[in-house]
Coordinates of all heavy atoms in Angstrom, one line a residue:
E24 N 0.8 -1.2 0.0 CA 0.0 0.0 0.0 C 0.9 1.3 0.0 O 0.5 2.3 -0.7 CB -0.9 0.0 1.2 CG -1.8 1.2 1.3 CD -2.7 1.2 2.5 OE1 -2.3 0.9 3.6 OE2 -4.0 1.3 2.3
D25 N 1.9 1.3 0.8 CA 2.7 2.5 1.0 C 4.2 2.3 0.7 O 4.7 1.2 0.6 CB 2.6 2.9 2.5 CG 1.1 3.0 3.0 OD1 0.5 4.1 2.7 OD2 0.6 2.0 3.5
I26 N 4.9 3.5 0.6 CA 6.3 3.4 0.3 C 7.0 4.5 1.0 O 6.5 5.7 1.1 CB 6.5 3.6 -1.2 CG1 7.9 3.2 -1.6 CG2 6.2 4.9 -1.8 CD1 8.1 2.9 -3.1
A27 N 8.2 4.2 1.6 CA 8.9 5.2 2.3 C 9.7 6.0 1.3 O 10.4 5.5 0.4 CB 10.0 4.5 3.2
I28 N 9.6 7.4 1.4 CA 10.2 8.3 0.4 C 11.7 8.1 0.3 O 12.2 8.1 -0.8 CB 9.8 9.7 0.7 CG1 8.3 9.9 0.8 CG2 10.4 10.7 -0.3 CD1 7.6 9.6 -0.5
Q29 N 12.4 8.1 1.5 CA 13.8 8.2 1.4 C 14.4 6.8 1.0 O 15.4 6.8 0.3 CB 14.3 8.5 2.8 CG 13.9 9.9 3.3 CD 14.4 11.0 2.4 OE1 15.5 11.0 1.8 NE2 13.6 12.0 2.2
T30 N 13.9 5.7 1.5 CA 14.5 4.4 1.3 C 13.8 3.6 0.2 O 14.4 2.6 -0.4 CB 14.5 3.6 2.6 OG1 13.1 3.3 2.9 CG2 15.1 4.3 3.7
G31 N 12.6 3.9 -0.2 CA 11.9 3.1 -1.2 C 11.4 1.8 -0.6 O 10.8 1.0 -1.3
E32 N 11.4 1.6 0.8 CA 10.9 0.4 1.4 C 9.4 0.4 1.4 O 8.7 1.4 1.5 CB 11.4 0.3 2.8 CG 11.0 -1.0 3.5 CD 11.6 -1.1 4.9 OE1 12.2 -0.1 5.4 OE2 11.5 -2.2 5.4
L33 N 8.9 -0.8 1.1 CA 7.4 -1.0 1.0 C 6.9 -1.2 2.4 O 7.4 -2.0 3.2 CB 7.1 -2.2 0.1 CG 7.4 -2.0 -1.4 CD1 7.1 -3.3 -2.1 CD2 6.7 -0.8 -2.0
W34 N 5.7 -0.6 2.7 CA 5.0 -0.8 3.9 C 3.5 -0.9 3.6 O 3.1 -0.7 2.5 CB 5.2 0.5 4.8 CG 6.6 0.6 5.4 CD1 7.6 1.2 4.8 CD2 7.1 0.0 6.5 NE1 8.8 1.1 5.6 CE2 8.4 0.3 6.7 CE3 6.5 -0.9 7.6 CZ2 9.2 -0.1 7.7 CZ3 7.3 -1.2 8.6 CH2 8.7 -0.9 8.7
G35 N 2.7 -1.4 4.6 CA 1.3 -1.5 4.5 C 1.0 -2.9 3.9 O 1.8 -3.7 3.5
N36 N -0.3 -3.3 4.0 CA -0.8 -4.6 3.6 C -0.4 -4.9 2.2 O -0.2 -4.1 1.3 CB -2.2 -4.7 3.9 CG -2.5 -4.9 5.4 OD1 -2.0 -5.8 6.0 ND2 -3.4 -4.1 5.9
Y37 N -0.3 -6.3 1.9 CA 0.3 -6.7 0.7 C -0.3 -8.1 0.3 O -0.6 -8.9 1.1 CB 1.9 -7.0 1.0 CG 2.6 -7.6 -0.1 CD1 3.3 -6.8 -1.1 CD2 2.8 -8.9 -0.3 CE1 4.0 -7.3 -2.1 CE2 3.5 -9.5 -1.3 CZ 4.2 -8.7 -2.2 OH 4.9 -9.2 -3.2
P38 N -0.3 -8.3 -1.0 CA -0.3 -7.3 -2.1 C -1.5 -6.5 -2.1 O -2.6 -7.0 -1.9 CB -0.1 -8.2 -3.4 CG -0.9 -9.5 -3.0 CD -0.6 -9.7 -1.5
Q39 N -1.4 -5.2 -2.4 CA -2.5 -4.3 -2.3 C -3.2 -4.1 -3.7 O -2.5 -3.7 -4.7 CB -1.9 -2.9 -1.8 CG -2.9 -1.7 -1.8 CD -3.9 -1.9 -0.7 OE1 -3.8 -2.7 0.2 NE2 -4.9 -1.1 -0.7
T40 N -4.4 -4.4 -3.7 CA -5.2 -4.3 -5.0 C -5.1 -2.9 -5.6 O -4.9 -2.8 -6.8 CB -6.6 -4.7 -4.8 OG1 -7.2 -4.0 -3.7 CG2 -6.7 -6.2 -4.5
Y41 N -5.2 -1.9 -4.8 CA -5.1 -0.5 -5.2 C -3.9 -0.3 -6.1 O -3.9 0.2 -7.2 CB -5.1 0.5 -4.1 CG -6.3 1.1 -3.6 CD1 -6.4 1.6 -2.3 CD2 -7.4 1.2 -4.4 CE1 -7.5 2.2 -1.9 CE2 -8.6 1.8 -3.9 CZ -8.7 2.3 -2.6 OH -9.8 2.9 -2.2
S42 N -2.8 -0.7 -5.5 CA -1.5 -0.5 -6.2 C -1.3 -1.3 -7.5 O -0.8 -0.8 -8.5 CB -0.4 -0.9 -5.2 OG -0.4 -0.1 -4.1
L43 N -1.9 -2.5 -7.5 CA -1.8 -3.3 -8.7 C -2.7 -2.7 -9.8 O -2.4 -2.8 -11.0 CB -2.3 -4.7 -8.4 CG -1.4 -5.4 -7.4 CD1 -1.8 -6.9 -7.1 CD2 0.1 -5.4 -7.7
V44 N -3.9 -2.2 -9.4 CA -4.8 -1.5 -10.3 C -4.0 -0.3 -11.0 O -4.1 -0.1 -12.1 CB -6.0 -0.9 -9.6 CG1 -6.7 0.1 -10.3 CG2 -7.0 -2.1 -9.2
G45 N -3.2 0.4 -10.2 CA -2.4 1.5 -10.7 C -1.5 1.1 -11.8 O -1.3 1.8 -12.8
I46 N -0.8 0.0 -11.6 CA 0.1 -0.6 -12.6 C -0.6 -0.8 -13.9 O -0.1 -0.4 -15.0 CB 0.8 -1.9 -12.1 CG1 1.7 -1.6 -10.9 CG2 1.5 -2.6 -13.2 CD1 2.3 -2.9 -10.3
I47 N -1.8 -1.5 -13.8 CA -2.6 -1.8 -15.0 C -3.0 -0.5 -15.7 O -2.8 -0.3 -16.9 CB -3.7 -2.7 -14.7 CG1 -3.2 -4.1 -14.3 CG2 -4.7 -2.8 -15.9 CD1 -4.3 -5.0 -13.7

Protein backbone atom coordinates (compact mmCIF):
# COMPACT_ATOMS: atom_id res chain seq x y z
CA GLU A 1 0.00 0.00 0.00
CA ASP A 2 2.69 2.50 1.02
CA ILE A 3 6.29 3.42 0.27
CA ALA A 4 8.97 5.20 2.29
CA ILE A 5 10.17 8.28 0.40
CA GLN A 6 13.82 8.14 1.44
CA THR A 7 14.50 4.40 1.29
CA GLY A 8 11.89 3.10 -1.15
CA GLU A 9 10.93 0.41 1.37
CA LEU A 10 7.42 -0.99 1.03
CA TRP A 11 4.99 -0.76 3.94
CA GLY A 12 1.33 -1.54 4.47
CA ASN A 13 -0.73 -4.60 3.62
CA TYR A 14 0.36 -6.77 0.70
CA PRO A 15 -0.26 -7.36 -2.12
CA GLN A 16 -2.45 -4.25 -2.30
CA THR A 17 -5.17 -4.31 -4.97
CA TYR A 18 -5.14 -0.51 -5.25
CA SER A 19 -1.46 -0.53 -6.19
CA LEU A 20 -1.84 -3.32 -8.73
CA VAL A 21 -4.76 -1.46 -10.30
CA GLY A 22 -2.43 1.52 -10.69
CA ILE A 23 0.10 -0.58 -12.59
CA ILE A 24 -2.54 -1.76 -15.04
